[in-house]
């Protein structure tokens, strides 16, 4: 790769793989991009991506305190000059991390202008910068998306807004970012309904709003095919924050929505760990459910704080939890267009540029180590064997006949009444299986 383009970070050479005995905090202990897991390169399995918003846009504020980070692009000055400086630093970090992908919202990378046309010109300028930097660094775009939640025009939603003019504005914004994502060779396009929900039914026509979202999503899919975008359209479920009742609560809710509006073969899900736990699910549950329903797409890799009830977006550091998540990813066949995006931010007291590197490098190591564990679990096959044995009687002629619709309710009742059968339950062996998982660690 080219020489450093910024002096923001304390190192100038990409973080090397040195093995698990390395004491240098800016080395990889487990992440070796060329190491093979189940016959496939680690980099190709994991498809790491760095998110633009938390890493380069978040100023370290929280509900009780303002900006804590001092970044040169947060200073007063020409907004476009600041955006170009931010791009310099972003691609320098991608280079140092050897991250193969990145992700962005339109408002992360270019400032909003005084008009829609000016906003688009700003975005186009930075997209041109991205073309050059992607060519220089060989970093690719995992997905792009439009910010349809920050501006006050979207306070009552974008697609769900009671004002069709806001709906049209959101549609125009998505059109432009979808086309930019296509131009940059993006592998996916994400739709996150940050304001697609409601606070009270007293001022909400719920059915009307769902129909509006359904039409909006169909418009996006239609335009995807019109421009020849070959990537995947993704919806990212989230149970709450900012609205009390989010229409995209979890994977099951999204699937029900997709079925209702004829989109189940067009859109998949981008699942976030912290969103899954806020919905009362485990990360692996959401992954396995998405795979079972045929809508598994991509992952936002982060974690929440179990003692806090909101979206803390911390870097993953639990190897056993991450290994289980990646086990179900591997069981589902692995990623196609998706990957692992670090939708995570350093803590507001982690002030130094090096902290950005520590957070990402450590998370990449956690995922790499978890991948090797998940690979061993797949190769060993003991977990899968237990599950197959537990349901083996459904593979009998009788079980297959029931599922094939060849047996009626009356047929089943007649069989039971005439047989004096007394089925006996068998142990689910949960503790045994939990011990088995721990044995791989």
């Amino acid at each position: 790769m080219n020489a450093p383009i910024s002096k923001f970070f304390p190192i100038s050479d990409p973080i090397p793989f040195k093995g698990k005995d390395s004491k240098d905090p800016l080395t990889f202990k487990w992440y070796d991009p060329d190491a093979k897991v189940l016959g496939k390169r680690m980099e190709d399995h994991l498809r790491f991506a760095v998110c633009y918003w938390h890493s380069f846009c978040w100023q370290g504020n929280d509900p009780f305190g303002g900006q804590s980070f001092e970044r040169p692009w947060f200073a007063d000055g020409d907004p476009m000059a600041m955006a170009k400086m931010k791009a310099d630093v972003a691609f320098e970090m991608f280079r140092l991390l050897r991250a193969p992908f990145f992700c962005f919202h339109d408002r992360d990378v270019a400032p909003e202008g005084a008009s829609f046309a000016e906003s688009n010109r700003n975005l186009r300028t930075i997209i041109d910068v991205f073309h050059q930097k992607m060519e220089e660094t060989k970093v690719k775009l995992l997905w792009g998306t439009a910010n349809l939640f920050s501006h006050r025009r979207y306070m009552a939603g974008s697609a769900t807004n009671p004002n069709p003019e806001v709906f049209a504005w959101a549609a125009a914004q998505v059109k432009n970012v979808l086309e930019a994502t296509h131009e940059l060779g993006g592998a996916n396009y994400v739709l996150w309904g940050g304001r697609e929900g409601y606070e009270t039914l007293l001022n909400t026509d719920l059915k009307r709003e769902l129909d509006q979202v359904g039409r909006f999503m169909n418009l996006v899919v239609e335009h995807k095919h019109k421009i020849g975008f070959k990537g995947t359209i993704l919806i990212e479920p989230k149970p709450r924050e900012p609205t009390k009742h989010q229409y995209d609560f979890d994977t099951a809710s999204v699937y029900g929505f997709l079925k209702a509006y004829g989109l189940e073969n067009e859109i998949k899900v981008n699942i976030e760990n912290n969103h899954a736990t806020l919905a009362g699910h485990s990360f692996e549950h959401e992954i396995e459910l998405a795979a079972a329903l045929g809508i598994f797409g991509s992952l936002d890799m982060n974690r929440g704080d179990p003692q806090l009830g909101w979206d803390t977006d911390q870097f993953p550091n639990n190897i056993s939890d991450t290994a289980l998540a990646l086990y179900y990813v591997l069981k589902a066949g692995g990623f196609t267009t998706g990957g692992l995006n670090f939708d995570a931010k350093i803590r507001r007291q982690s002030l130094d540029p090096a902290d950005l590197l520590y957070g990402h490098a450590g998370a990449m190591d956690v995922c790499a180590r978890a991948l090797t564990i998940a690979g061993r679990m797949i190769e060993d096959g003991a977990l899968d064997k237990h599950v197959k044995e537990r349901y083996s009687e459904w593979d009998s002629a009788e079980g297959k006949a029931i599922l094939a619709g060849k047996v009626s309710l009356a047929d089943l009742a007649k069989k039971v009444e005439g047989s004096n059968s007394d089925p006996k339950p068998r142990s689910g062996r949960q503790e045994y299986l939990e011990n088995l998982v721990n044995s791989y660690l």
Side-chain angles (χ1 to χ4, degrees), residues 126-161:
I126 298 301
I127 294 303
D128 290 342
V129 171
F130 281 0
H131 274 294
Q132 179 181 348
K133 290 186 176 296
M134 291 170 70
E135 177 62 30
E136 291 172 352
T137 62
K138 307 308 177 187
V139 175
K140 293 173 285 188
L141 179 62
L142 188 65
W143 50 260
T145 187
N147 181 330
L148 305 180
F149 48 89
S150 291
H151 195 281
R152 70 188 303 272
R153 76 175 62 90
Y154 295 129
M155 67 171 68
S158 55
T160 58
N161 202 282

Side-chain angles (χ1 to χ4, degrees), residues 305-369:
D305 188 320
Q307 294 172 302
L308 295 173
W310 63 83
D311 195 11
T312 57
D313 285 327
Q314 295 170 248
F315 282 97
N317 67 357
N318 187 307
I319 293 169
S320 59
D321 285 354
T322 307
L324 271 180
L326 293 180
Y327 170 74
Y328 288 101
V329 170
L330 292 176
K331 273 194 65 182
F335 295 115
T336 52
T337 61
L340 288 180
N341 169 48
F342 290 117
D343 185 8
K345 54 180 180 278
I346 55 178
R347 301 300 88 190
R348 71 189 304 262
Q349 295 183 60
S350 298
L351 303 175
D352 299 334
D355 293 319
L356 282 166
L357 300 176
Y358 296 142
H360 284 87
M364 293 166 77
D365 259 350
V366 165
C367 293
R369 187 173 182 185

Side-chain angles (χ1 to χ4, degrees), residues 58-363:
W58 185 53
Q59 297 185 348
N61 53 298
D62 67 16
F64 304 100
Q67 178 179 339
S68 66
F69 298 152
E70 295 178 348
R71 310 295 194 218
W73 55 91
F74 292 161
D76 293 335
D78 174 47
M80 288 303 294
M82 296 298 106
K84 292 175 182 177
M85 182 192 302
K86 183 164 56 176
D88 286 344
V89 173
F91 276 84
E92 172 66 353
M93 191 168 91
F94 306 156
R95 184 187 74 87
L96 294 174
L97 290 169
R98 294 190 287 168
F101 295 95
F102 74 106
C103 304
F104 72 91
H105 299 81
D106 50 353
R107 299 298 180 248
D108 301 334
V109 301
E112 186 155 13
S115 66
F116 192 84
E118 184 180 355
S119 295
N120 287 343
R121 287 195 297 272
N122 291 344
L123 179 61
R124 171 51 53 194
T125 297
I126 298 301
I127 294 303
D128 290 342
V129 171
F130 281 0
H131 274 294
Q132 179 181 348
K133 290 186 176 296
M134 291 170 70
E135 177 62 30
E136 291 172 352
T137 62
K138 307 308 177 187
V139 175
K140 293 173 285 188
L141 179 62
L142 188 65
W143 50 260
T145 187
N147 181 330
L148 305 180
F149 48 89
S150 291
H151 195 281
R152 70 188 303 272
R153 76 175 62 90
Y154 295 129
M155 67 171 68
S158 55
T160 58
N161 202 282
N163 184 347
E165 190 174 357
V166 175
F167 181 105
W169 188 290
Q173 196 172 332
V174 168
K175 172 185 177 292
N176 290 330
V177 186
L178 177 58
E179 290 174 355
T181 299
H182 180 40
E183 291 174 27
L184 292 171
N188 310 271
Y189 183 86
V190 168
L191 293 154
W192 182 60
R195 302 279 178 189
E196 310 309 330
Y198 67 91
E199 298 295 342
T200 174
L201 278 174
L202 297 176
N203 63 9
T204 300
D205 185 333
L206 191 152
K207 178 62 168 63
R208 179 188 291 272
E209 290 195 357
L210 286 174
D211 287 345
Q212 289 175 203
V213 179
R215 185 67 199 119
F216 192 95
M217 297 300 181
N218 272 284
L219 287 169
V220 174
V221 168
E222 290 163 12
H223 195 68
K224 165 195 167 173
H225 293 303
K226 180 179 179 180
I227 65 176
F229 179 55
K230 301 302 182 185
T232 305
I233 303 295
L234 302 169
I235 290 178
E236 182 171 328
K238 186 175 184 180
R240 52 184 181 271
E241 295 182 2
T243 65
K244 185 165 65 174
H245 297 285
Q246 289 282 134
Y247 296 134
D248 51 356
F249 184 88
D250 60 3
T251 294
S253 300
V254 170
Y255 183 71
F257 165 82
L258 295 177
K259 288 286 287 185
Y261 294 96
L263 294 163
E264 69 273 18
N265 296 320
E266 294 283 358
I267 298 178
K268 299 183 185 298
V269 285
N270 178 60
I271 301 167
E272 180 180 309
N273 189 354
N274 205 170
H275 293 177
T277 54
L278 287 173
H281 305 307
S282 67
F283 197 18
E284 60 267 24
H285 164 85
E286 290 287 272
I287 294 168
E288 180 73 345
L289 180 60
L293 296 173
I295 59 170
F296 174 69
S298 195
L299 297 181
D300 274 3
M301 183 59 75
N302 60 18
R303 65 182 169 96
D305 188 320
Q307 294 172 302
L308 295 173
W310 63 83
D311 195 11
T312 57
D313 285 327
Q314 295 170 248
F315 282 97
N317 67 357
N318 187 307
I319 293 169
S320 59
D321 285 354
T322 307
L324 271 180
L326 293 180
Y327 170 74
Y328 288 101
V329 170
L330 292 176
K331 273 194 65 182
F335 295 115
T336 52
T337 61
L340 288 180
N341 169 48
F342 290 117
D343 185 8
K345 54 180 180 278
I346 55 178
R347 301 300 88 190
R348 71 189 304 262
Q349 295 183 60
S350 298
L351 303 175
D352 299 334
D355 293 319
L356 282 166
L357 300 176
Y358 296 142
H360 284 87

